[in-house]
Every structure is written in structure tokens, then in C-alpha cells.
Amino acid sequence: CEHPDHVPQFRPVSDILRDVARYYVIWACRSGSKTYLYGGLNTWVKSCSKARYETRILGGSKDQSLLSYEAMKVFRDATDPKNLRLVKDIMQSKAEFTNQSKVSILTASMTAVRGPHPQALLLDEVDEIDEEVYQAALSQPTSKYGHKASLGMFSTNHNIMGQMDKALKNAEERKHHIYKYCVWEVLESCKDYRCSTCPLSELCPGEQMKEADGYYKIDDFVNKLHTLSYSMLARDWLCIKVGLGDTVYEQEWDE
């Protein structure tokens, strides 16, 4: 899209995998592959390439934590089908690597987040994590065994003055890395659509979408127009915070 704060999806992927960004916040749209890339890919690559590297994954719920953990299995299946890098097969809530690296998931409770001190902590769907648990978890990342501490957060941003708003504000003040991208960065090409009749024309950022090479289907996004309010669409898909959700917006105005 043409939003000055938004970046291509591959920018945070590249920076995180190369350790350019160790403390970072990613505000991305629904279906922005947040869990798949930053929970699954990032965790698998770091665990395989760094000895004695520990990663803990905390989601807004146990199910959310498991999604990041399950995403890691996809990359295991693609690159290590014989489990040569693992002591055992990936278990229900933890994985141990032959290089002594570890990955485990945390439940969103005070008891779970106060104990461990891994090098890397990943917070998935920050906006759904209880504030007390969120604050306690921030003390976890610790540098050790030659690996620097890392704290990654990735989420949609739909709650007004929620945890994601606070995380973004803190990251801005501390000069941490902030990445934002919306559905236009992950949408497929619209080359088979005519601009004059396209149902997305009112929202479309421009004809550059003809050259898009994303994975999200246009028909699926069009269906969102028919089922979501504009305020929800803006927050979850366009990554625009438009207010408290109790207001009428331009696209919804009907005199």
C-alpha cells in the first residue's frame, strides 16, 4: 500500500532472521502470517542454528501459543523430516534439539511467566494477553551462552488503549524496531479485475495492486466487506485505528 508507515512483509522476516532486530513489535493484519513467520519460521531457524538457545512462546491463550508451536512443525517437516536435529519428535508443549536448544510454550498465567529466563521470548497476539501477565513476562529475556536477549511481539491491534497500543508506544520511546503492514502487502494480484467494477475500488491504494504477488485471495477479502463493519475492517485488515467503534465512518454513512 502507500501508507508511509507500512513495510513489505519480508522486511521484518529478514531483519529478525539476521538478528538485525532483537527487540521488536510487529503490527500486522489478520492472515498476515504473523504466527507462521515469527513464531514458526523464526523459532525453527534460531533453534537449529544456535546451540543452547532457548525460546519461550506466550500467546493470548494456550491455543494461540500452540499455533506458533505447530507452525514450527511445518518447517521441521520441510527441512528435517527424519528428526535429525531433535532429541525426540516435537512433543505437545516443548521441543529439545540435539544442539541443546529448547522451545516451549507458556500458559498465560502469573506462575508460568515468572519462572523461566530464556534468551528469546515471543508474544503472540499481544492484544489478548492480560496486562498483569504481560508485564511479568517482559522480565524473562536474558542473555546467556553467547546469545543476546530478544523480545518479539506480533499482533493485530484492535483494542483501544490495549496491550498492543502500549507496546507500540514503549517501542517508539525506546527506539525498538516497529514494523507495520496491512492486507495490501499480502494480497494477490488483481490483474484479472477491472478497476471500474472492482468491489475493492473504494479502498484500493492504487493500480500497483496489478503487480502484487501476495497469497491472500481477493475474493476472500471482498467477502469481508460484506460481513464486517468498517471500523472492524480498518482495525483488523487495514491496520488503521479509527476510534472506539461506536462511531459512523465515511463508508458507512447513510443519510
Side-chain angles (χ1 to χ4, degrees):
C1 72
E2 295 182 327
H3 197 292
D5 289 339
H6 289 194
V7 299
Q9 187 186 44
F10 189 68
R11 176 71 57 78
V13 174
S14 174
D15 286 356
I16 292 167
L17 290 181
R18 295 183 300 119
D19 285 329
V20 172
R22 290 187 298 107
Y23 279 71
Y24 56 89
V25 180
I26 301 171
W27 172 7
C29 61
R30 297 284 295 273
S31 295
S33 295
K34 300 180 293 297
T35 297
Y36 184 76
L37 293 173
Y38 315 115
L41 175 62
N42 172 46
T43 301
W44 177 253
V45 171
K46 297 289 178 65
S47 299
C48 289
S49 60
K50 297 183 177 186
R52 304 184 77 178
Y53 191 77
E54 187 176 0
T55 302
R56 297 279 177 138
I57 302 171
L58 173 63
S61 65
K62 185 176 181 180
D63 287 343
Q64 188 64 46
S65 299
L66 283 170
L67 287 177
S68 283
Y69 189 68
E70 291 292 328
M72 186 177 68
K73 293 182 180 179
V74 175
F75 296 99
R76 185 280 311 273
D77 293 343
T79 62
D80 187 29
K82 295 183 179 180
N83 277 339
L84 299 179
R85 296 183 180 275
L86 295 162
V87 175
K88 297 180 180 179
D89 193 4
I90 295 177
M91 292 178 281
Q92 186 173 2
S93 60
K94 67 178 181 178
E96 297 182 353
F97 292 72
T98 54
N99 62 2
Q100 295 184 287
S101 290
K102 297 179 181 179
V103 179
S104 56
I105 62 173
L106 298 172
T107 56
S109 68
M110 291 297 293
T111 303
V113 299
R114 282 195 173 278
H117 289 284
Q119 291 100 329
L121 173 65
L122 302 177
L123 303 181
D124 193 356
E125 286 302 335
V126 172
D127 237 10
E128 302 301 329
I129 299 176
D130 178 78
E131 182 175 7
E132 189 177 9
V133 172
Y134 168 81
Q135 291 294 340
L138 296 182
S139 296
Q140 283 194 21
T142 303
S143 299
K144 54 186 177 182
Y145 304 127
H147 305 304
K148 293 183 178 180
S150 176
L151 176 62
M153 309 182 194
F154 36 98
S155 181
T156 54
N157 185 4
H158 52 273
N159 291 328
I160 304 303
M161 292 306 295
Q163 294 306 122
M164 193 58 174
D165 278 343
K166 295 175 184 177
L168 288 165
K169 181 179 179 181
N170 182 69
E172 186 174 358
E173 292 174 351
R174 305 293 181 182
K175 305 300 182 184
H176 293 165
H177 293 266
I178 298 176
Y179 303 96
K180 302 177 186 178
Y181 61 86
C182 67
V183 67
W184 302 116
E185 273 78 52
V186 302
L187 202 66
E188 66 178 355
S189 170
C190 61
K191 61 184 179 181
D192 296 328
Y193 290 76
R194 294 175 60 88
C195 294
S196 60
T197 59
C198 178
L200 297 178
S201 58
E202 289 187 14
L203 300 175
C204 183
E207 290 191 6
Q208 68 267 25
M209 293 307 298
K210 298 291 184 187
E211 307 298 324
D213 61 355
Y215 52 84
Y216 197 73
K217 299 297 182 183
I218 290 177
D219 286 346
D220 288 346
F221 188 47
V222 168
N223 287 331
K224 302 299 183 292
L225 298 181
H226 302 151
T227 56
L228 300 176
S229 67
Y230 178 70
S231 59
M232 181 64 72
L233 188 79
R235 290 196 299 268
D236 278 7
W237 293 91
L238 305 180
C239 295
I240 300 172
K241 294 295 281 287
V242 289
L244 297 173
D246 56 0
T247 315
V248 175
Y249 301 98
E250 181 180 358
Q251 282 83 351
E252 299 173 315
W253 175 252
D254 184 330
E255 188 173 354

